[in-house]
Amino acid sequence: MSAMLTKIIAHLEDLALQVESARLRRSKVMQHQAYQPILPCANKYLQYRWDKNCYDMHRDKVKSAKPTINATSPKTYDHLLVKLKKQQLEEERVSRIKRENHMLLDKMSHIMQTVGGVDSKNDYVKKSLNRDKRQLELLQITKENQRILQRLSSCRPHYSIQVWHEQWFKNLELIDSIGRYPRLYSSQGSSLPPILAVRHGTVHSNRVNNQKTARNAHEEPAGIRNEVAQQNERECDEKTKYEDNVASEDEA
């Protein structure tokens, strides 16, 4: 049953092929009738065959045409890819290193098995060729510094504070002699302020206070003026005592 079905299917396939080939032959025979040539012709079938032949020749030429520019990859050479000289040099270098390592290993093993020929102990003491000279220079510099220090400590001052103090009192006497109003300072029976008062800026303030007191003397009564003058004298005495103590401490 299956063999019969196979034969029937094969017979049907043959028939289909025959029908298809007949259709193709018919289409090829009738194909020239649908062809429209570019130029007018007497026979469409011959013109169709000629044009088709020319087109086939053109396609064969296109397929067999070679490019004008060679775009293919260049030819590779084995001696450029595999550099034998470089491999040889590398092998020689590796063999030399191995030989040196082997020699070094033999030497180290020999040293470990026997006593070394060179003593590694070092008892050298550091020495300097100019040590004595530098010590002498340092000693000389130290002596010079001591002499300079001794001269500075034993040197007496060129200026005298007592002379300055006397000059200051003379200047104050001249100031009082040309002044318009009398001063109210009193220090140890003298109407002159001490020199340290000027250093601390008290003379100027006392002078201003005295000027204000003298300016207001004509406006205030006599009792008030006496009280103000006594108060100023007490303040001046306290300041002068404090400044005398400071001056004595400085001189000491």
Side-chain angles (χ1 to χ4, degrees), residues 16-61:
L17 290 173
Q18 291 176 4
V19 171
E20 185 66 23
S21 62
R23 188 180 63 79
L24 289 174
R25 285 195 302 270
R26 193 181 303 108
S27 63
K28 287 181 180 180
V29 171
M30 301 300 293
Q31 190 175 5
H32 67 281
Q33 295 181 0
Y35 178 69
Q36 296 295 332
I38 298 173
L39 299 176
C41 60
N43 192 344
K44 288 185 177 180
Y45 178 74
L46 294 175
Q47 188 66 35
Y48 171 73
R49 294 292 299 272
W50 293 336
D51 291 343
K52 190 175 184 305
N53 191 13
C54 291
Y55 180 73
D56 292 339
M57 291 173 63
H58 169 69
R59 293 303 305 170
D60 292 338
K61 289 181 180 179

Side-chain angles (χ1 to χ4, degrees), residues 154-208:
S154 62
C155 182
R156 293 187 175 277
H158 181 69
Y159 299 100
S160 177
I161 298 175
Q162 186 65 28
V163 174
W164 287 355
H165 195 71
E166 293 175 357
Q167 291 178 356
W168 172 244
F169 275 105
K170 290 180 181 179
N171 293 334
L172 289 179
E173 289 177 358
L174 294 174
I175 291 170
D176 288 335
S177 64
I178 63 176
R180 182 174 181 181
Y181 299 102
R183 294 179 179 273
L184 299 177
Y185 295 106
S186 62
S187 175
Q188 298 178 0
S190 175
S191 62
L192 299 176
I195 187 170
L196 294 176
V198 180
R199 294 181 182 177
H200 296 283
T202 57
V203 172
H204 180 69
S205 60
N206 293 332
R207 187 185 302 169
V208 174

